[in-house]
Amino acid sequence: MKNWFSRNSGELPPFVHNRRLRRIMLFIALIVIYGVVISFLYNIVASAILVIISIMGLIYTIVMMNEMSTDTNRYISDLSYRIHRGEQESLLEMPIGVMILNENGLVEWTNPYFTRYFNNENILGKRIEDVDHDLQQLMMKYGDSDEFHTVTWRDHKFTMLIQSEYHSIYMLDITRYVNLEERYEEEQISVGQIFLDNYDEITQSMTDQEISNLSNYVTNELATWSKKYGMYLKQIDDDHFFLLAYAKSLTQIENDKFNILDIVRESTSKQNFPLTLSIGISYGEDDLNSLADQAQSNLDLALGRGGDQVVVKSLDGTARFYGGKTNPMEKRTRVRARMISQALNELMGDADQIFVQGHTRPDMDSLGACMGIRRIAQMNNKKCWIVLDKEKVHSDIQRLLEAAKKYPEISDAIITPAEALSKVTDSSLLIMVDHSKPSISISPDLYQRMTQKVVIIDHHRRGEEFPENPMLVYIEPYASSTCELITEMFEYQPHEEEPINRIEATAMLTGIFIDTQSFSMRTGTRTFDAASYLRSAGADSVEMQQLMKENIDNYLQRNHLISMVEFFHKDMAMIVGEEDRVYDPVTAAQACDSLLTMSGVDASFIITKRSDDKIGVSARSTGSINVQIIMERMGGGGHLSSGATQIEDKSIAEVKQLLLETIDYIDDNE
């Protein structure tokens, strides 16, 4: 007992330093003392025996507690040693590179794992720039960041962490996992649909042998192309193919700009059977059903834009377009016009009333098409309202509205967007003409109110922005105008009703006349058939001239814009308006049209400020240059030979620079 209290120069036993053991010992001692005192009050002999037993018990308890405390301290000391040793071994053996620098930037220490990347050379005491220049650049780039970064160093991928306060660098080699991730991404499945645009039209006049030769040629070309990129191709119809590809193959064919389009088009053209392809490809989904549906949707988008092109798009991504450099060939038939007309009649029959609207800042084709739809609705005994903002129309539309006042049934049917919203019901039908982008509708709110009851009739190429679930879509990019498409429908309407009248025929013929630039562009045999029908229905050529007349202000504005023309790229012309002057969009477009009449100009552009503080860009082409893809890249759209866009939050000079950069980019990537 004496040794316990006198060991190490009078130090107390180890258990005394443990607060919990001290409390337990104190509690036991108090109980023993209390018991001894009580026992002395009753029996001295028994008390003496209890004292002896208590003293022995206390001694035993103290010994046990002391051993417990000693064992605990020894365990903790041993555990601390093992942890410290483990830390040292981890730094030396763990598969993470560690480098420590001193305050002067000299290498102070590296663990063996990191040293092997330096071929086991002795780099201690050297400056990092003398050891490895690439590593120094990484340290300079990420030295101020305390986050993990994925870097490439010495042909390996690493997760890198720099702790500036400790002058230490940690490098975890993740090359294997990066390779696995890349392989996973490369082996993602893409689904494609390939369609021969005009196969039926071309083969109608061919012999069986010629059809067989053409089919064999196309199939062999597609098979060779798919095999080259490691894709699976299956023909499911005479003009339809199914495609499966890895994401790696998709990247390769995108880098080659889908040259299969040019190969098939050019080869078949030389054989006097010009055949074109449309392709829709989807990717980025694990569900094959969703991929197949998206691929079909992408193919529909390619066909809606006129064919001879590819649309690549994931379910929630942005569409990428390839091809579409040629004028779409006229391939619609009377059968299709009749089917669309009958389907439209059925939809009108199920509606309580019809609303028709064109695009903002309507032109003659837009309002003429609205008048044509109103007449078709009337032939089907349905009330039709033309939605128009009369405060935002050009002078020619104002003259048309003035002339329409002589026809109360037409004038009274023209209502404002606010009036339309007050009249609409759940059973109403909305028809969008001369556009398919809800954002440029005269009343986007009306579209939002009727998203499930929408019909689209348009002659522009379909863009990425498109109504989600339209009831009927009639988009024919090879038509001259929307008025041409609607004129063809009159043949299939009830003949007992009142036919199209003079002002409606005049407005629709004016729309065709303006959109074709006096029948000089985008015209086919169907265009002249439609014009002939409208002329026979009473279209007045004199009144057409009156409607197309310019007022003096617009005339002077147009000539002023033309005077600022500048030429670039040898075959292109551009007009750039003043930063502080607003021009009417129609006047600007007319000035852009005028530039094409100049010798040596194959494409023209005009940039002007609009009244809504946006910068408007219009583009025109003779057909040899695809201005649509230029406008699409700038956020707009249109035709191969006609396009436009509006840009916010930029100056005239900035938009000009953007246009030039876009043209250069497209030239470099064709």
Side-chain angles (χ1 to χ4, degrees), residues 598-610:
M598 297 182 181
S599 176
V601 176
D602 291 329
S604 60
F605 304 87
I606 186 167
I607 305 171
T608 57
K609 187 174 182 179
R610 294 162 51 98

Side-chain angles (χ1 to χ4, degrees), residues 568-569 657 659-669:
F568 66 106
H569 279 232
Q657 184 61 33
L659 174 61
L660 294 174
E661 291 174 355
T662 303
I663 293 172
D664 290 339
Y665 174 85
I666 291 174
D667 285 343
D668 293 340
N669 288 273

Side-chain angles (χ1 to χ4, degrees), residues 117-265:
Y117 289 101
F118 299 97
N119 298 323
N120 295 317
E121 295 179 5
N122 183 15
I123 61 174
L124 300 181
K126 296 181 180 180
R127 302 191 68 84
I128 193 66
E129 57 264 32
D130 298 330
V131 174
D132 192 289
H133 177 73
D134 293 336
L135 184 58
Q136 182 207 15
Q137 294 298 315
L138 293 174
M139 292 176 61
M140 292 176 62
K141 183 176 181 180
Y142 301 113
D144 297 330
S145 173
D146 57 355
E147 298 179 354
F148 289 93
H149 299 278
T150 300
V151 300
T152 301
W153 178 62
R154 298 210 171 195
D155 298 326
H156 288 260
K157 293 285 186 179
F158 292 89
T159 294
M160 182 180 193
L161 174 65
I162 300 177
Q163 293 183 324
S164 302
E165 63 272 27
Y166 303 118
H167 307 290
S168 57
I169 306 168
Y170 303 91
M171 303 275 282
L172 174 62
D173 194 335
I174 58 171
T175 304
R176 179 189 174 194
Y177 306 106
V178 170
N179 290 339
L180 287 174
E181 183 179 358
E182 289 177 352
R183 181 177 177 182
Y184 170 77
E185 294 295 336
E186 289 176 350
E187 293 182 354
Q188 288 288 295
I189 294 295
S190 301
V191 174
Q193 302 269 5
I194 303 176
F195 185 74
L196 308 185
D197 295 332
N198 47 343
Y199 180 82
D200 289 338
E201 289 78 7
I202 287 179
T203 55
Q204 283 179 356
S205 60
M206 298 173 64
T207 65
D208 290 344
Q209 182 177 356
E210 290 173 333
I211 293 174
S212 177
N213 291 338
L214 180 64
S215 297
N216 289 337
Y217 167 75
V218 173
T219 303
N220 289 336
E221 285 291 350
L222 289 173
T224 302
W225 173 69
S226 62
K227 185 177 181 180
K228 175 182 177 182
Y229 295 102
M231 301 182 292
Y232 171 78
L233 182 74
K234 177 67 176 178
Q235 185 171 7
I236 56 180
D237 205 346
D238 289 340
D239 56 359
H240 201 181
F241 294 81
F242 178 76
L243 186 71
L244 280 177
Y246 288 129
K248 180 180 180 181
S249 301
L250 178 59
T251 300
Q252 292 174 345
I253 56 179
E254 285 195 82
N255 290 337
D256 288 341
K257 307 299 180 185
F258 286 89
N259 60 349
I260 188 65
L261 298 179
D262 300 326
I263 293 172
V264 172
R265 184 195 323 108

Side-chain angles (χ1 to χ4, degrees), residues 236-432:
I236 56 180
D237 205 346
D238 289 340
D239 56 359
H240 201 181
F241 294 81
F242 178 76
L243 186 71
L244 280 177
Y246 288 129
K248 180 180 180 181
S249 301
L250 178 59
T251 300
Q252 292 174 345
I253 56 179
E254 285 195 82
N255 290 337
D256 288 341
K257 307 299 180 185
F258 286 89
N259 60 349
I260 188 65
L261 298 179
D262 300 326
I263 293 172
V264 172
R265 184 195 323 108
E266 293 171 4
S267 298
T268 54
S269 294
K270 292 177 181 178
Q271 303 173 39
N272 295 321
F273 298 120
L275 194 68
T276 59
L277 305 178
S278 287
I279 305 176
I281 297 179
S282 63
Y283 65 97
E285 284 289 323
D286 294 330
D287 184 3
L288 292 179
N289 289 320
S290 297
L291 281 176
D293 292 341
Q294 184 63 44
Q296 183 61 55
S297 177
N298 293 347
L299 177 60
D300 293 341
L301 176 55
L303 293 170
R305 290 164 54 85
D308 189 26
Q309 57 191 284
V310 182
V311 176
V312 181
K313 184 180 181 297
S314 62
L315 194 63
D316 301 318
T318 301
R320 300 189 294 276
F321 303 101
Y322 300 90
K325 302 175 184 177
T326 59
N327 269 313
M329 291 176 287
E330 183 173 351
K331 57 177 181 260
R332 75 185 190 279
T333 64
R334 296 284 185 185
V335 174
R336 176 162 167 76
R338 176 176 55 81
M339 292 174 60
I340 292 293
S341 182
Q342 290 176 351
L344 181 61
N345 293 350
E346 291 176 4
L347 292 174
M348 285 183 172
D350 294 336
D352 60 353
Q353 57 184 335
I354 293 98
F355 294 86
V356 58
Q357 66 176 354
H359 52 76
T360 55
R361 300 283 180 179
D363 53 18
M364 293 299 293
D365 186 39
S366 178
L367 187 53
C370 289
M371 288 184 170
I373 289 295
R374 193 206 70 85
R375 173 57 62 183
I376 291 176
Q378 186 173 339
M379 289 178 170
N380 287 273
N381 298 313
K382 290 293 179 179
K383 182 64 178 178
C384 180
W385 305 99
I386 299 175
V387 184
L388 183 67
D389 187 351
K390 297 180 182 180
E391 302 299 322
K392 298 180 180 179
V393 295
H394 195 252
S395 58
D396 56 348
I397 301 299
Q398 290 175 345
R399 283 190 289 270
L400 177 58
L401 295 176
E402 192 67 29
K405 289 181 179 179
K406 300 177 183 178
Y407 301 84
E409 70 277 12
I410 298 177
S411 183
D412 294 343
I414 299 175
I415 60 176
T416 65
E419 291 173 327
L421 287 170
S422 66
K423 293 178 180 294
V424 68
T425 69
D426 291 339
S427 299
S428 301
L429 180 68
L430 174 64
I431 301 178
M432 296 167 54

